[in-house]
Amino acid sequence: MTDPILPLLAGVVAALFALGLFAAIAPGRAMRIVPLASAGLCAFAAVLAAIGLLAGGRMQTLDIPLGLPGTAMRLGLDGLSGFFLLLLFAVATAASLYAHEPHGTEDRHALACFPVFIGAMALALIAGDGFSLVFGFELMALASWATVLARHEEAGVGDAALLYIGMVVFAAVCLIAAFALLAPPDAAIVSGLRFAAIRAAMPPEGWRAGLVLALVLFGAGSQAGLAPLHVWLPLAHPAAPSHVSALMSGAMTKVALYVIIRVLFDLCGPAQPLWWGVPLILMGAASAVLGALRANTEADIKAVLAASTVENVGLIAIGIGVAMIARAADLPSLAALALGGAMLHAANHGVFKTLLFLCAGAAQHGGGSRVLARLGGLIHRMPVTTACVLVGSLGLAALPPGSGFASAWMLLQSVLAGPRIGGLALQILFAITAALMAMAAALAAAAAVRLIGVGFLGRPRTPRVAAAEEAGPMARRAMIGLAIASCLLGLLPGPVLRLAGPALRVLAGSSVADRAGTLVVAPGTGLPGYAAPAIAVILGLALAATLLVLRRFTRPGHRRGPAWACGFAAAPPWLPFGDPLTQYGGASFSQPLRRALGTSLLHAREQIDMPRPGETRPAGFSVTLRDPAAVYVFAPLGRLHGVIANLADRMQPLTIRRALGVMFAALVLFLAVIALLEAI
Amino acid sequence: MIGTALDILTGLAAEILHLALMLAVAPLLIGCIRTLKARLLGRIGPPVMQPWRDLIRLARKQPVLAENASFLFAAAPAIGFAATLAAAALVPSFALGMSTAAVSDLLVIAGLLALGRCTLALAGMDVGTAFGGIGASREMTFAVFAEPALILVIFTLMLLAGTTNLDGVAGVLREGSVGLRASLGLAMIAMLAVALSENARIPVDDPATHLELSMGREAMVLEYSGRDLALIEGTAALKLLLWFTLIGTVFFPFALATPDAGLLAWPLGIVAWAAKTAVLAIALACFETAVARMRMFRVPEFLGIALLFGLLAAVFLFVNAGFATGGG
């Protein structure tokens, strides 16, 4: 009897595509059922993926008579794809529920793309050959690009969409080339792209291996937001509607990381050199610090979250890199610790970042803006949303006993254990990486405090936000569900790691059964580890004891009075909440960090325009920030593009005779190259 | 069976005694440092018991909350205190093998302290006054530079002991079989600098300042009064003692009672702990009297030096291990 899980999952993907088509043509009223139908399909698929993982994550394949002419499309499911599928469908269920809110269904264009986007991500995850993987990956990127473009009339969105489509095409070029290099040279085109055939063939060596590494890191890494290709991410992710942004940050970056793990860990075989992990660690560490720093300087709450996604993707990439080095050095236990930490962090980040984006969407809808300088005081008007933001931020700031801490703990443990591999250069790399990870974590904590403190606490900065309304019932359900999931992930990292067990056994060559107890996660057999429930209990006991002593020995209750602040003047009648400028805002909160770190890392420059005494014009202050990747990578590329466009422009005024001549010459050149290649 | 039950009971007793001692001594420590500093400056200074009296006086008073303070503001002092207390429960003072020994991870301790810091920073932002924001911003900024230095100290300890579990680290260092002491010395300097920053002491911050604009942590909690303020003062005192204990346990692990030494080793352990704490308190008082407070933007440089020392500690170990294996 064949296992029904993979066919059913393929059916869900097909149904999601059909749902997108339905949303595009259905009459207005029927369109409203699309989010709920999508949520139902995703919940069903999440259960399927969980059953597959619990049953041991056996490898299964399925051929579908679609795809490239003359051959079937191969789908596959194993422990690795099952783990990421479970994450994808779990967060997609919540995002779909959130989309049921009236403001989620008003835009038909974005709504039609949404199920297609989820289906395409799932297709990339259940792909069993290079063609379906790249097809799903590109469809996913295009669907999310289309939702970004749906709001093209807003300022800045057009540029973001243009940059994004460039990255999408770049990723396609890189991945197609990578699979071309991986396919066994003597096989037929399509059967050779099947993962089984690639695994059976000789693993790439020498320059081919290096090229595959570079192509995959640039292709999939650009979609994941790894530095230096992260520049588009804090622009494009916030531009989409919130439930789509949530999936872009929470799930799409994970699909890209899945592709990195799938190709570099699985398809390239275990016998790769030691240095293979080093580029991943370098890119990861750079992403972690730059992303976390930018999360402190962005003015838009969704851009803050998107920048923090860059940071978390960096942390996961560090884990993958350490795992690759450890596997090459034949330390399967360390490899499993690092890869397990990376997968756990992917799951944790997927959940808490989806939660935070949904909350940001609720704050934007309720408070009328997503710019920090126009928010404030939401905790009084939107208590449920604020509570959910607090839970999500516990993960964002990697604080115990939240979800981000357990996986950050495992990743740090793997880096701290890294020097066992040996080699002075590598050891120093690990020491610096550990310091940068700690700095990224502290920066993320500062960003979380800034996000909540400026956006949700304090006094309202505009009348609109003073009258904010709590999120709708469906959105609240989605956020509360994700908040509970995030708490459970934080308290029980062991069981989640066991779900990753089948993948770790295959990829890292070591089981996690001995270190992923129900209660404790330990770096190795017999070593003391991190026991999240125990820490939660100690914390709870300490809190209970504190409250008990307070209740027993101190006077209960409190009085209310005006704020002190060394003589805080009563608010004038025309400014009922006081002058918003007397509060600390987003820019002032991050000013010390901007000066201390931003000056060197982000080219932060301050311009102060101080009128002389007697002049009546206002004083001015402005800050410019430039991401180094934008300055050193994207700007030269843009200039190169201009040069090429100018060259191509010369072809424009050719006469038809000359144009035909150029085409003929190109054809001859092309044939000559083919003939030469044949001769070799 | 009886043996394990006895072990559990001993561990629990050690834990309770440890926490009781920490809570009782923490305000006394603040009092001692204040008196010492006053004496060094030629003043008589307040009695040593003054912080305890202040705490009791504050605890009797009802707090006044700002009109727009949220539930977070009211809950933050208790959460911050609980996080620090939980961290204090994990740091062994006089005996190893307390009941929390298995979970006393250094990274977890750092995480719990960060939890307390973030909670109070959020509370500082809650009322929407400028001083609260200034304090919260500075507090979070200093942590960005302190945490990498701290992680490099933990890195060095991990290299020496093979674990980040504090009980395990102290056990290994107590045996004295650790070869290179220079690394430990460098790591200790880094740790001391981090401790000064984490506890808002001179030269990073001045706990005694009365000028709001120059305040760091004090500005953050400016809105608090009554029993809430008592909790916050208690948190600060407990945190200082926690750091002293942490430094004493890791870098001067002598006379720590081991689980198999029995109850008789406890008095010696307690005396040794008191002595280590006293030495650190005297050192802190002398240092604070001798050194001026830094400008705010010099602090990253100060902590950058700590980071450098931490890195050097790790590199010394690498090079040493390289010579050891390369020669053989």
Side-chain angles (χ1 to χ4, degrees):
Chain A
M1 192 193 115
T2 53
D3 209 328
I5 289 180
L6 186 55
L8 281 173
L9 280 173
V12 168
V13 172
L16 283 169
F17 287 153
L19 195 62
L21 200 63
F22 172 77
I25 56 174
R29 189 177 283 275
M31 215 169 78
R32 300 268 300 137
I33 66 151
V34 168
L36 284 185
S38 157
L41 283 172
C42 291
F44 174 60
V47 172
L48 283 179
I51 291 174
L53 279 179
L54 289 175
R58 254 179 341 102
M59 172 94 81
Q60 352 177 347
T61 55
L62 174 73
D63 287 340
I64 292 185
L66 281 172
L68 290 182
T71 49
M73 204 163 157
R74 168 70 62 91
L75 300 183
L77 180 69
D78 62 1
L80 184 65
S81 38
F83 184 83
F84 281 91
L85 274 175
L86 176 58
L87 166 66
L88 163 67
F89 282 121
V91 297
T93 309
S96 304
L97 280 181
Y98 181 91
H100 183 68
E101 287 297 313
H103 58 96
T105 48
E106 62 202 11
D107 183 351
R108 178 190 291 273
H109 189 98
L111 188 67
C113 293
F114 185 60
V116 177
F117 178 44
I118 302 174
M121 284 193 277
L123 178 61
L125 290 176
I126 58 172
D129 60 21
F131 168 72
S132 12
L133 186 118
V134 175
F135 179 69
F137 194 79
E138 286 305 307
L139 190 60
M140 143 190 118
L142 284 175
S144 60
W145 173 74
T147 44
V148 171
L149 202 62
R151 300 192 165 184
H152 58 89
E153 66 275 5
E154 285 174 25
V157 171
D159 291 343
L162 189 64
L163 190 59
Y164 187 20
I165 191 71
M167 298 310 289
V168 171
V169 173
F170 174 73
V173 171
C174 287
L175 285 182
I176 291 170
F179 275 104
L181 283 170
L182 277 173
D186 47 348
I189 289 181
V190 174
S191 64
L193 280 177
R194 289 187 176 156
F195 290 166
I198 295 177
R199 280 190 205 107
M202 278 286 285
E205 285 172 350
W207 64 268
R208 268 181 61 208
L211 204 55
V212 167
L213 177 68
L215 287 170
V216 170
L217 282 187
F218 284 135
S222 71
Q223 287 301 304
L226 274 180
L229 299 175
H230 65 281
V231 171
W232 64 276
L233 200 145
L235 295 173
H237 280 200
S242 290
H243 53 283
V244 181
S245 315
L247 285 189
M248 285 170 82
S249 263
M252 191 172 83
T253 54
K254 307 303 173 306
V255 175
L257 288 166
Y258 160 83
V259 171
I260 291 180
I261 299 179
R262 172 65 75 197
V263 176
L264 296 183
F265 250 93
D266 183 12
L267 301 182
C268 286
Q272 294 302 342
L274 206 60
W275 62 266
W276 258 47
V278 175
L280 263 170
I281 293 182
L282 293 177
M283 288 167 84
S287 314
V289 172
L290 265 183
L293 183 59
R294 282 194 62 173
N296 277 292
T297 57
E298 296 289 343
D300 171 345
I301 46 176
K302 281 170 79 175
V304 169
L305 296 176
S308 134
T309 297
V310 174
E311 180 230 340
N312 284 287
V313 163
L315 292 181
I316 298 170
I318 290 174
I320 300 174
V322 174
M324 281 168 70
I325 295 179
R327 193 178 62 159
D330 207 17
L331 291 169
S333 155
L334 179 57
L337 176 71
L339 191 60
M343 287 174 72
L344 185 62
H345 198 68
N348 288 338
H349 177 250
V351 172
F352 76 68
K353 192 49 68 68
T354 308
L355 168 64
L356 285 173
F357 263 111
L358 295 187
C359 294
Q364 179 188 2
H365 189 68
S369 177
R370 50 174 219 242
V371 181
L372 279 174
R374 301 185 65 78
L375 291 172
L378 285 175
I379 191 170
H380 302 287
R381 305 286 306 180
M382 308 177 75
V384 176
T385 307
T386 309
C388 290
V389 169
L390 285 170
V391 171
S393 298
L394 211 58
L396 186 79
L399 296 174
S403 64
F405 183 80
S407 41
W409 185 88
M410 277 185 80
L411 290 172
L412 261 174
Q413 284 289 341
S414 70
V415 173
L416 293 181
R420 262 193 291 166
I421 297 168
L424 187 60
L426 212 53
Q427 287 171 332
I428 293 177
L429 175 72
F430 281 124
I432 293 173
T433 307
L436 289 179
M437 285 170 82
M439 179 176 261
L443 280 169
V449 168
R450 174 175 175 265
L451 179 74
I452 302 173
V454 178
F456 291 83
L457 304 180
R459 289 171 285 129
R461 288 182 175 78
T462 60
R464 175 75 180 80
V465 70
E469 277 176 27
E470 182 60 280
M474 218 40 133
R476 280 209 299 270
R477 261 169 234 163
M479 292 188 301
I480 293 173
L482 282 173
I484 292 173
S486 188
C487 289
L488 286 178
L489 281 172
L491 288 180
L492 298 169
V496 186
L497 264 183
R498 285 204 187 160
L499 287 179
L504 292 179
R505 261 194 297 281
V506 174
L507 296 177
S510 168
S511 146
V512 285
D514 54 343
R515 69 180 67 145
T518 311
L519 301 178
V520 186
V521 182
T525 319
L527 285 176
Y530 168 58
I535 298 299
V537 166
I538 293 174
L539 207 53
L541 280 178
L543 191 59
T546 311
L547 293 179
L548 212 65
V549 168
L550 284 184
R551 171 165 295 195
R552 178 75 186 75
F553 294 105
T554 64
R555 244 175 100 187
H558 54 76
R559 282 180 295 143
R560 290 273 177 180
W564 158 230
C566 309
F568 198 60
W574 62 90
L575 281 171
F577 306 102
D579 190 340
L581 290 180
T582 61
Q583 284 190 76
Y584 244 49
S588 37
F589 188 86
S590 59
Q591 185 243 28
L593 278 174
R594 196 178 64 223
R595 284 202 184 160
L597 282 176
T599 313
S600 49
L601 291 181
L602 287 179
H603 291 267
R605 296 290 177 272
E606 297 178 353
Q607 285 93 32
I608 299 169
D609 173 29
M610 186 61 75
R612 274 177 307 191
E615 279 187 72
T616 49
R617 66 192 170 91
F621 173 77
S622 67
V623 176
T624 50
L625 293 165
R626 288 185 304 160
D627 196 297
V631 178
Y632 296 116
V633 179
F634 282 79
L637 278 179
R639 284 198 292 276
L640 183 69
H641 169 257
V643 170
I644 294 174
N646 280 342
L647 280 179
D649 235 21
R650 290 196 197 157
M651 308 273 241
Q652 196 98 25
L654 293 186
T655 61
I656 191 154
R657 203 155 37 88
R658 283 186 182 158
L660 285 174
V662 168
M663 280 164 76
F664 184 69
L667 187 64
V668 168
L669 192 69
F670 181 61
L671 289 173
V673 167
I674 288 183
L676 263 175
L677 284 178
E678 287 284 306
I680 294 169
Chain B
M1 191 65 202
I2 292 169
T4 37
L6 201 63
D7 279 351
I8 291 173
L9 273 181
T10 323
L12 204 61
E15 184 74 56
I16 291 169
L17 183 59
H18 159 74
L19 278 177
L21 279 173
M22 291 286 271
L23 287 172
V25 170
L28 283 181
L29 175 67
I30 298 285
C32 287
I33 293 174
R34 277 189 198 156
T35 310
L36 266 173
K37 278 175 76 175
R39 292 286 157 87
L40 284 170
L41 291 170
R43 292 186 282 117
I44 296 175
V48 173
M49 283 301 284
Q50 191 60 42
W52 256 121
R53 288 184 200 154
D54 287 346
L55 285 182
I56 292 167
R57 173 177 57 83
L58 282 172
R60 286 206 196 105
K61 297 192 173 185
Q62 238 182 6
V64 181
L65 265 55
E67 272 142 5
N68 63 336
S70 69
F71 63 85
L72 194 87
F73 186 83
I79 297 175
F81 184 78
T84 313
L85 187 61
L90 302 183
V91 180
S93 58
F94 64 91
L96 297 178
M98 296 194 302
S99 34
T100 51
V103 294
S104 67
D105 191 272
L106 279 165
L107 299 172
V108 173
I109 294 168
L112 286 171
L113 292 176
L115 177 65
R117 175 169 58 232
C118 290
T119 312
L120 283 185
L122 282 180
M125 309 280 288
D126 186 56
V127 180
T129 58
F131 287 130
I134 233 176
S137 163
R138 289 178 181 174
E139 181 86 353
M140 298 313 293
T141 303
F142 293 157
V144 167
F145 297 96
E147 302 250 303
L150 178 62
I151 209 79
L152 283 176
V153 174
I154 298 177
F155 193 93
T156 309
L157 296 176
M158 168 91 178
L159 286 175
L160 287 171
T163 175
T164 56
N165 184 281
L166 182 53
D167 210 67
V169 169
V172 170
L173 295 182
R174 191 179 170 281
E175 297 302 314
S177 54
V178 182
L180 201 64
R181 292 285 173 182
S183 273
L184 272 181
L186 291 171
M188 191 179 76
I189 296 173
M191 189 83 152
L192 286 171
V194 172
L196 288 177
S197 158
E198 288 278 308
N199 287 295
R201 308 299 300 196
I202 293 174
V204 175
D205 194 351
D206 185 358
T209 181
H210 291 290
L211 177 65
E212 289 81 7
L213 276 177
S214 69
M215 286 177 174
R217 173 170 308 160
E218 297 293 312
M220 188 167 80
V221 298
L222 202 60
E223 289 296 321
Y224 278 109
S225 55
R227 62 160 189 273
D228 288 349
L229 185 60
L231 268 180
I232 287 173
E233 301 271 332
T235 308
L238 186 61
K239 198 169 166 185
L240 184 65
L241 182 61
L242 184 155
W243 274 93
F244 277 12
T245 309
L246 184 63
I247 291 169
T249 301
V250 170
F251 296 102
F252 310 102
F254 48 82
L256 274 176
T258 48
D260 45 347
L263 300 185
L264 290 176
W266 285 10
L268 181 64
I270 293 173
V271 170
W273 172 62
K276 292 175 215 171
T277 309
V279 168
L280 284 169
I282 294 168
L284 180 68
C286 295
F287 182 75
E288 289 203 320
T289 314
V291 172
R293 189 178 162 197
M294 281 179 181
R295 266 190 73 211
M296 154 100 195
F297 287 100
R298 293 280 307 281
V299 172
E301 296 167 23
F302 173 70
L303 289 170
I305 293 171
L307 183 74
L308 201 66
F309 273 103
L311 191 62
L312 273 179
V315 170
F316 268 27
L317 279 182
F318 292 147
V319 174
N320 191 43
F323 279 131
T325 53

